[in-house]
């Protein structure tokens, strides 16, 4: 399923490469997906018999790395106003450095030095599972916050009365 999710984004990135602009696309979901894929590769390499997990997510790492590279190449140049928000290229670079290098490195370092045996696989799996919940749950939370104001009067009048 993850490969299908990664491939489904290719149309967006073909558009970015063709127009040489990231337009209004946000890089954060792709940076976080790259982190999740890299952590699952680490989990698959660490877990005995986890070759399939490592292979599938390894393909995801390659694809997401291409997507993030396209963001870094084609993001809008900094505006005259020197703010962090004004430069999507700098924002993407900071996210990659903090999450994909910093957080991933911290997880690998801590689990390699401080956690041993089967507990290591369990800790890495828990970190991966938590990241997946946040990664796939955040769009749902955004969607609920967008839908709820429009349907609150409908719920108050009909659905809640019938329950």
């Amino acid at each position: 399923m993850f490969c299908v999710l990664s491939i489904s984004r290719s149309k967006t990135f073909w558009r970015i490469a063709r127009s040489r602009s990231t337009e209004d696309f946000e890089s954060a979901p792709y940076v976080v997906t790259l982190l999740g894929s890299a952590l699952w590769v680490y989990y698959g390499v660490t877990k005995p018999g986890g070759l399939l997990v490592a292979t599938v997510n390894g393909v995801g790492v390659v694809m997401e790395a291409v997507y993030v590279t396209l963001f870094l190449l084609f993001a809008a140049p900094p505006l005259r106003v020197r703010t962090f928000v004004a430069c999507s290229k700098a924002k993407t670079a900071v996210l990659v450095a903090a999450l994909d290098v910093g957080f991933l490195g911290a997880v690998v370092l801590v689990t390699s030095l401080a956690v041993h045996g089967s507990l290591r696989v369990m800790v890495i799996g828990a970190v991966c599972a938590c990241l997946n919940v946040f990664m796939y749950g955040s769009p749902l939370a955004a969607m609920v916050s967008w839908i709820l104001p429009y349907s609150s009067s409908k719920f108050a009048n009909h659905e809640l009365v019938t329950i």
Side-chain angles (χ1 to χ4, degrees), residues 18-70:
R18 192 176 51 226
S19 69
R20 296 191 168 278
S21 170
T22 57
E23 300 167 12
D24 288 333
F25 293 112
E26 184 66 36
S27 64
Y30 305 102
V31 173
V32 173
T33 304
L34 177 60
L35 171 64
S37 298
L39 282 170
W40 280 111
V41 167
Y42 179 53
Y43 174 81
V45 169
T46 306
K47 180 178 173 51
L51 181 63
L52 183 61
V53 173
T55 305
V56 169
N57 285 287
V59 171
V61 165
V62 170
M63 294 176 76
E64 294 298 328
V66 168
Y67 295 161
V68 170
T69 302
L70 284 174

Side-chain angles (χ1 to χ4, degrees), residues 47-111:
K47 180 178 173 51
L51 181 63
L52 183 61
V53 173
T55 305
V56 169
N57 285 287
V59 171
V61 165
V62 170
M63 294 176 76
E64 294 298 328
V66 168
Y67 295 161
V68 170
T69 302
L70 284 174
F71 261 100
L72 288 171
L73 289 174
F74 298 127
L79 301 175
R80 290 182 188 240
V81 180
R82 298 285 183 201
T83 63
F84 179 69
V85 177
C87 181
S88 62
K89 190 175 283 196
K91 181 180 173 184
T92 302
V94 167
L95 282 173
V96 168
L99 295 176
D100 295 333
V101 176
F103 186 76
L104 177 65
V107 169
V108 170
L109 190 67
V110 167
T111 56

